[in-house]
Amino acid sequence: MRSLERAAIASGRISGLDLMERAGTGVVEAIGEAWPDFRTPADVPRHAVVLCGPGNNGGDGFVVARLLRRRGWKVTLYLYGDPERLPPDARTNHDRWRRIGTLSALPAAPDFSTADLVVDALFGLGLTRPLTGFGPIFSALATAGRPVLAIDLPSGRDADALPDSVGWPSAPCSLAVTFHREKPLHARLRAEGIGVIVKPIGL
Ligand SMILES: NC(=O)C1=CN([C@@H]2O[C@H](COP(=O)(O)OP(=O)(O)OC[C@H]3O[C@@H](n4cnc5c(N)ncnc54)[C@H](OP(=O)(O)O)[C@@H]3O)[C@@H](O)[C@H]2O)[C@H](O)CC1
Ligand SMILES: [K+]
């Protein structure tokens, strides 16, 4: 994926920011596909809790937050990481979000009880080692029993599904929305009964 992305950007055909916008747009489309009743406007705004991480997976989360807000959703956004250290495209989408919404630092155990949907944009392809310290958040998420959409892949899982990554702590997930092509992990997610939707992003 990285080499495809680099080649597409190097060719000048598309920018990283375009890819991120298309990724976020695909995620919002997938929400309507997986949960059709979310497509119809509700008498009270639906509430999405978006968990953004320190990289471009978090960047996708900022795009999704903005697009859901534009569709009338109430959005609560938590950021794990320092905005000053976000990679450029994620920072741009952080700034775009901050023009229309607020954010809080990710607490030890966020309140998911009023969420109609939780968006896991903490970590994606850039996970390089098992997560530590996310146990309380992941168990709060599991206890809340709300639908969880993972951007690209459930945070904590290894995209290549390497044998030694089995058992790494990871976020609960109802649906994973990935981009361009499935990664090895997605076959395992399907086998676990987790929905997987692949969205094109023009690569
Ligand atoms: N072409 C595409 O597929 C596109 C993908 N997009 C999205 O981008 C992410 C990949 O973004 P990337 O910034 O490479 O990585 P992540 O956001 O997944 O995470 C990187 C940051 O996470 C830190 N990290 C990694 N492992 C851990 C850990 N175990 N504990 C704590 N922090 C961790 C990492 O820090 P380092 O210390 O490792 O440097 C990074 O800060 C992809 O998944 C898609 O969602 C594009 O948006 C669209 C095109
Ligand atoms: K994720």
Side-chain angles (χ1 to χ4, degrees):
M1 281 309 286
R2 290 190 195 292
S3 53
L4 274 173
E5 198 177 332
R6 265 198 300 274
I9 293 169
S11 72
R13 187 163 55 82
I14 196 164
S15 72
L17 212 46
D18 293 338
L19 288 171
M20 189 168 281
E21 194 71 18
R22 292 181 189 194
T25 302
V27 168
V28 172
E29 279 170 12
I31 290 172
E33 292 161 9
W35 293 285
D37 61 332
F38 283 167
R39 277 203 290 251
T40 52
D43 41 359
V44 293
R46 290 193 177 86
H47 181 204
V49 174
V50 182
L51 310 179
C52 290
N56 283 326
N57 197 246
D60 291 355
F62 284 114
V63 176
V64 172
R66 171 167 41 87
L67 297 179
L68 286 178
R69 165 67 73 78
R70 195 186 292 163
R71 292 180 177 213
W73 285 62
K74 175 175 179 272
V75 177
T76 302
L77 193 146
Y78 294 113
L79 174 62
Y80 169 81
D82 177 359
E84 299 302 318
R85 298 188 58 212
L86 286 165
D89 295 340
R91 177 59 194 262
T92 300
N93 279 298
H94 160 276
D95 296 348
R96 286 178 181 169
W97 167 252
R98 293 293 281 110
R99 283 202 284 276
I100 60 169
T102 59
L103 68 80
S104 317
L106 182 65
D111 173 14
F112 296 115
S113 61
T114 62
D116 294 295
L117 176 67
V118 180
V119 177
D120 166 11
L122 288 167
F123 301 99
L125 296 178
L127 189 88
T128 53
R129 54 203 186 277
L131 288 176
T132 54
F134 283 81
I137 290 171
F138 292 166
S139 49
L141 203 43
T143 309
R146 320 300 296 174
V148 180
L149 182 152
I151 294 188
D152 216 349
L153 39 94
S155 294
R157 304 289 292 260
D158 171 56
D160 295 326
L162 297 175
D164 70 347
S165 72
V166 175
W168 284 8
S170 64
C173 172
S174 325
L175 170 73
V177 181
T178 190
F179 310 112
H180 184 63
R181 291 227 193 307
E182 288 194 11
K183 284 72 184 182
L185 177 74
H186 292 105
R188 181 171 297 170
L189 295 179
R190 288 185 196 282
E192 294 168 13
I194 292 169
V196 175
I197 294 178
V198 184
K199 284 291 178 184
I201 50 173
L203 279 179

